[in-house]
PDB file of all heavy atoms in Angstrom:
ATOM      1  N   ASP A 240      19.090  27.094 140.062  1.00  0.00           N
ATOM      2  CA  ASP A 240      19.100  27.684 138.601  1.00  0.00           C
ATOM      3  C   ASP A 240      19.039  29.191 138.795  1.00  0.00           C
ATOM      4  O   ASP A 240      19.047  29.749 137.785  1.00  0.00           O
ATOM      5  CB  ASP A 240      18.225  27.059 137.760  1.00  0.00           C
ATOM      6  CG  ASP A 240      16.679  27.179 138.188  1.00  0.00           C
ATOM      7  OD1 ASP A 240      16.467  27.892 139.259  1.00  0.00           O
ATOM      8  OD2 ASP A 240      15.823  26.654 137.585  1.00  0.00           O
ATOM      9  N   ASP A 241      18.780  29.690 140.003  1.00  0.00           N
ATOM     10  CA  ASP A 241      18.709  31.182 140.047  1.00  0.00           C
ATOM     11  C   ASP A 241      19.494  31.641 141.295  1.00  0.00           C
ATOM     12  O   ASP A 241      19.157  32.802 141.791  1.00  0.00           O
ATOM     13  CB  ASP A 241      17.270  31.674 140.074  1.00  0.00           C
ATOM     14  CG  ASP A 241      16.473  31.264 141.243  1.00  0.00           C
ATOM     15  OD1 ASP A 241      16.935  30.434 142.028  1.00  0.00           O
ATOM     16  OD2 ASP A 241      15.307  31.617 141.421  1.00  0.00           O
ATOM     17  N   GLY A 242      20.333  30.869 141.942  1.00  0.00           N
ATOM     18  CA  GLY A 242      21.084  31.294 143.094  1.00  0.00           C
ATOM     19  C   GLY A 242      21.481  30.086 143.985  1.00  0.00           C
ATOM     20  O   GLY A 242      21.997  29.107 143.307  1.00  0.00           O
ATOM     21  N   PHE A 243      21.217  30.185 145.253  1.00  0.00           N
ATOM     22  CA  PHE A 243      21.748  29.227 146.191  1.00  0.00           C
ATOM     23  C   PHE A 243      21.005  29.274 147.486  1.00  0.00           C
ATOM     24  O   PHE A 243      20.239  30.261 147.711  1.00  0.00           O
ATOM     25  CB  PHE A 243      23.279  29.356 146.349  1.00  0.00           C
ATOM     26  CG  PHE A 243      23.640  30.852 146.786  1.00  0.00           C
ATOM     27  CD1 PHE A 243      23.785  31.203 148.164  1.00  0.00           C
ATOM     28  CD2 PHE A 243      23.906  31.744 145.767  1.00  0.00           C
ATOM     29  CE1 PHE A 243      24.115  32.446 148.466  1.00  0.00           C
ATOM     30  CE2 PHE A 243      24.212  33.117 146.084  1.00  0.00           C
ATOM     31  CZ  PHE A 243      24.360  33.442 147.594  1.00  0.00           C
ATOM     32  N   THR A 244      21.212  28.288 148.288  1.00  0.00           N
ATOM     33  CA  THR A 244      20.522  28.224 149.616  1.00  0.00           C
ATOM     34  C   THR A 244      21.466  28.251 150.790  1.00  0.00           C
ATOM     35  O   THR A 244      22.403  27.406 150.630  1.00  0.00           O
ATOM     36  CB  THR A 244      19.579  26.920 149.768  1.00  0.00           C
ATOM     37  OG1 THR A 244      18.677  27.108 148.719  1.00  0.00           O
ATOM     38  CG2 THR A 244      18.884  26.913 151.109  1.00  0.00           C
ATOM     39  N   MET A 245      21.310  29.086 151.642  1.00  0.00           N
ATOM     40  CA  MET A 245      22.193  29.113 153.010  1.00  0.00           C
ATOM     41  C   MET A 245      21.485  28.360 154.100  1.00  0.00           C
ATOM     42  O   MET A 245      20.404  28.572 154.320  1.00  0.00           O
ATOM     43  CB  MET A 245      22.657  30.574 153.288  1.00  0.00           C
ATOM     44  CG  MET A 245      23.436  31.290 152.356  1.00  0.00           C
ATOM     45  SD  MET A 245      25.018  30.492 152.225  1.00  0.00           S
ATOM     46  CE  MET A 245      26.048  31.696 151.479  1.00  0.00           C
ATOM     47  N   GLY A 246      22.360  27.708 155.021  1.00  0.00           N
ATOM     48  CA  GLY A 246      21.903  27.103 156.136  1.00  0.00           C
ATOM     49  C   GLY A 246      21.951  28.124 157.301  1.00  0.00           C
ATOM     50  O   GLY A 246      21.983  29.356 157.050  1.00  0.00           O
ATOM     51  N   ALA A 247      21.898  27.694 158.655  1.00  0.00           N
ATOM     52  CA  ALA A 247      21.679  28.581 159.760  1.00  0.00           C
ATOM     53  C   ALA A 247      22.895  29.108 160.407  1.00  0.00           C
ATOM     54  O   ALA A 247      22.866  29.787 161.336  1.00  0.00           O
ATOM     55  CB  ALA A 247      20.845  27.909 160.662  1.00  0.00           C
ATOM     56  N   ASN A 248      24.098  28.782 160.030  1.00  0.00           N
ATOM     57  CA  ASN A 248      25.386  29.123 160.669  1.00  0.00           C
ATOM     58  C   ASN A 248      25.520  30.627 160.542  1.00  0.00           C
ATOM     59  O   ASN A 248      25.290  31.208 159.459  1.00  0.00           O
ATOM     60  CB  ASN A 248      26.586  28.468 159.997  1.00  0.00           C
ATOM     61  CG  ASN A 248      27.807  28.606 160.800  1.00  0.00           C
ATOM     62  OD1 ASN A 248      28.342  29.719 160.959  1.00  0.00           O
ATOM     63  ND2 ASN A 248      28.165  27.468 161.437  1.00  0.00           N
ATOM     64  N   THR A 249      25.990  31.236 161.673  1.00  0.00           N
ATOM     65  CA  THR A 249      26.131  32.761 161.633  1.00  0.00           C
ATOM     66  C   THR A 249      27.200  33.296 160.640  1.00  0.00           C
ATOM     67  O   THR A 249      27.245  34.441 160.370  1.00  0.00           O
ATOM     68  CB  THR A 249      26.361  33.116 163.131  1.00  0.00           C
ATOM     69  OG1 THR A 249      27.679  32.515 163.595  1.00  0.00           O
ATOM     70  CG2 THR A 249      25.324  32.795 164.087  1.00  0.00           C
ATOM     71  N   VAL A 250      28.088  32.399 160.283  1.00  0.00           N
ATOM     72  CA  VAL A 250      28.992  32.829 159.335  1.00  0.00           C
ATOM     73  C   VAL A 250      28.352  33.172 157.944  1.00  0.00           C
ATOM     74  O   VAL A 250      28.912  34.096 157.356  1.00  0.00           O
ATOM     75  CB  VAL A 250      30.175  31.758 158.998  1.00  0.00           C
ATOM     76  CG1 VAL A 250      30.998  32.011 157.923  1.00  0.00           C
ATOM     77  CG2 VAL A 250      30.950  31.304 160.378  1.00  0.00           C
ATOM     78  N   VAL A 251      27.222  32.531 157.660  1.00  0.00           N
ATOM     79  CA  VAL A 251      26.660  32.854 156.317  1.00  0.00           C
ATOM     80  C   VAL A 251      25.126  33.292 156.402  1.00  0.00           C
ATOM     81  O   VAL A 251      24.599  33.863 155.451  1.00  0.00           O
ATOM     82  CB  VAL A 251      26.663  31.592 155.409  1.00  0.00           C
ATOM     83  CG1 VAL A 251      28.077  31.223 155.054  1.00  0.00           C
ATOM     84  CG2 VAL A 251      26.001  30.424 156.110  1.00  0.00           C
TER      85      VAL A 251
END
Side-chain angles (χ1 to χ4, degrees):
D240 60 5
D241 64 356
F243 51 92
T244 300
M245 289 299 195
N248 193 288
T249 57
V250 170
V251 295

